[in-house]
Amino acid sequence: MPTAAGLHLSEKQFAELRKIVYDRAGIHFQDTKKYVLESRLARRLEELEFDDFDQYLMFLTAGPYQTEEFQEMFNRITINETSFFRNEPQLDVFEQRILPELLEKRSATKRLRIWSAACSSGEEPYTLAMQIHRSLGVRLADWKIEILGTDISEKVLNQATNGVYPRYAVRSVCPMVLKQYFKEENGQYLLDPEIQSMVHFEVLNLKDRFAAKRFGTWDVIFCRNVMIYFDDAMKTACAKLYHDQLADDGTLFIGHSETLRNLDVAFEQIDIPQAFAYRKAIN
Ligand SMILES: C[S@@+](CC[C@H](N)C(=O)[O-])C[C@H]1O[C@@H](n2cnc3c(N)ncnc32)[C@H](O)[C@@H]1O
């Protein structure tokens, strides 16, 4: 169906566009999702004063502004749904089981590295920062904690860096935590600067394994609710990347509707209900 502006994405244009998106980012748009690309990019075509998607495809693939336009496109076509303390039972496993073990194991170096891959507007890595902050208390000063949030969309990472959130983002945060780590101002929630300073953000496309490798090895990787947009080949590539970048005694957390089963990667699931977590398999 044409958009309000009368822009129509034909089947041929859809096939071309979704191949470009897949090749670049591994995001697989199913046949039924043509309207998503059509409606989300229509405004962009209007801004560029293009009459049809052929012009846009040409601009995207042959023009001098390809790199910038890919970023612009991913800002618009990605689904960025997230919230603070999303899937709390899983986060309880992190805080009460995995984190204390890790703090014990790293007590000599006092160094902990956590990667939130595909973090959207930052709610996930900031949640982890709050959990670490309250777990360590005054001991935090003795530790070097690195938390990195990455995403393909620059737009959501700018929101993350601002640290200002609408009520919707904090809907699952209990009143005590809300009071401790946020300041309400005109219906917006401003994150505590100390928690903000614990997290660093970078644009990173999970398809680009070499870019991911430059960040080194992680004790914990959270990669939740992004593999649902990938096909098996891209899921496998991601799982291999996490395997390479995870410490031998590290933990990988994935989304509750995701699985690594049937993928050819040496991970074994941790046997804790609600954890949706994996460790490297020991041969
Ligand atoms: C639904 S959000 C998940 C946010 C958070 N992890 C959570 O579970 O609440 C999915 C995020 O994945 C990002 N994404 C999609 N494809 C990506 C890719 N190839 N590389 C990096 N991030 C990607 C999107 O921009 C989006 O912000």
Side-chain angles (χ1 to χ4, degrees):
M1 214 184 29
T3 63
L7 291 161
H8 173 68
L9 182 66
S10 71
E11 289 299 335
K12 184 170 166 289
Q13 291 161 337
F14 173 53
E16 206 174 321
L17 191 54
R18 84 165 162 182
K19 182 172 182 320
I20 291 170
V21 171
Y22 179 76
D23 289 346
R24 274 278 169 150
I27 304 170
H28 174 62
F29 277 88
Q30 293 166 352
D31 293 346
T32 52
K33 298 285 188 224
K34 179 163 92 79
Y35 74 96
V36 177
L37 284 181
E38 187 176 62
S39 58
R40 287 187 168 218
L41 291 174
R43 182 181 285 261
R44 181 65 185 148
L45 267 70
E46 281 174 61
E47 284 167 9
L48 293 165
E49 299 186 359
F50 288 163
D51 298 328
D52 58 42
F53 275 94
D54 280 339
Q55 286 179 10
Y56 186 66
L57 284 163
M58 188 83 87
F59 184 67
L60 197 58
T61 52
Y65 305 110
Q66 287 178 48
T67 311
E68 291 86 344
E69 190 52 33
F70 270 109
Q71 183 56 73
E72 194 60 56
M73 182 177 74
F74 289 125
N75 285 346
R76 290 165 193 253
I77 66 170
T78 49
I79 313 268
N80 312 112
E81 173 68 27
T82 186
S83 57
F84 285 95
F85 289 89
R86 183 178 192 181
N87 193 354
E88 205 155 2
Q90 181 185 34
L91 292 165
D92 287 345
V93 173
F94 166 70
E95 186 172 355
Q96 288 156 26
R97 303 279 296 266
I98 306 299
L99 183 61
E101 267 175 36
L102 256 179
L103 293 175
E104 181 63 37
K105 283 187 209 157
R106 301 289 184 270
S107 60
T109 58
K110 293 210 167 10
R111 192 165 177 221
L112 198 62
R113 305 192 76 230
I114 298 180
W115 176 24
S116 167
C119 71
S120 187
S121 33
E123 289 87 330
E124 180 177 278
Y126 283 142
T127 298
L128 304 174
M130 287 181 229
Q131 292 184 297
I132 293 171
H133 186 271
R134 69 186 177 191
S135 296
L136 280 172
V138 290
R139 291 178 296 148
L140 185 65
D142 303 333
W143 282 75
K144 182 163 170 42
I145 308 286
E146 285 175 71
I147 306 174
L148 175 70
T150 63
D151 200 281
I152 197 171
S153 162
E154 199 170 35
K155 185 175 166 206
V156 287
L157 294 180
N158 288 338
Q159 291 165 4
T161 310
N162 285 339
V164 179
Y165 291 93
R167 169 84 211 151
Y168 183 72
V170 297
R171 65 191 181 281
S172 312
V173 182
C174 75
M176 222 174 72
V177 173
L178 204 57
K179 193 164 178 289
Q180 186 178 359
Y181 292 118
F182 294 88
K183 193 165 104 187
E184 194 192 340
E185 238 176 58
N186 305 322
Q188 297 282 91
Y189 290 80
L190 282 56
L191 185 64
D192 181 306
E194 195 181 350
I195 298 299
Q196 271 201 62
S197 71
M198 290 174 70
V199 185
H200 173 71
F201 295 98
E202 295 271 354
V203 174
L204 180 76
N205 180 353
L206 288 168
K207 183 104 191 191
D208 188 351
R209 57 188 296 108
F210 295 108
K213 278 176 178 292
R214 81 192 147 97
F215 293 111
T217 306
W218 301 95
D219 298 307
V220 180
I221 299 176
F222 271 77
C223 179
R224 303 190 303 168
N225 307 306
V226 64
M227 286 194 286
I228 40 175
Y229 304 109
F230 297 160
D231 68 354
D232 279 353
M234 179 65 184
K235 281 182 197 159
T236 304
C238 275
K240 286 202 162 118
L241 172 67
Y242 302 140
H243 195 274
D244 288 351
Q245 301 314 117
L246 192 66
D248 287 346
D249 58 355
T251 306
L252 168 69
F253 287 90
I254 63 170
H256 73 282
S257 60
E258 297 165 327
T259 179
L260 300 185
R261 227 177 297 137
N262 305 327
L263 301 181
D264 180 21
V265 201
F267 273 118
E268 56 193 26
Q269 193 157 6
I270 297 178
D271 191 16
I272 304 175
Q274 321 283 352
F276 307 101
Y278 291 79
R279 287 216 166 101
K280 285 186 179 184
I282 298 157
N283 298 318

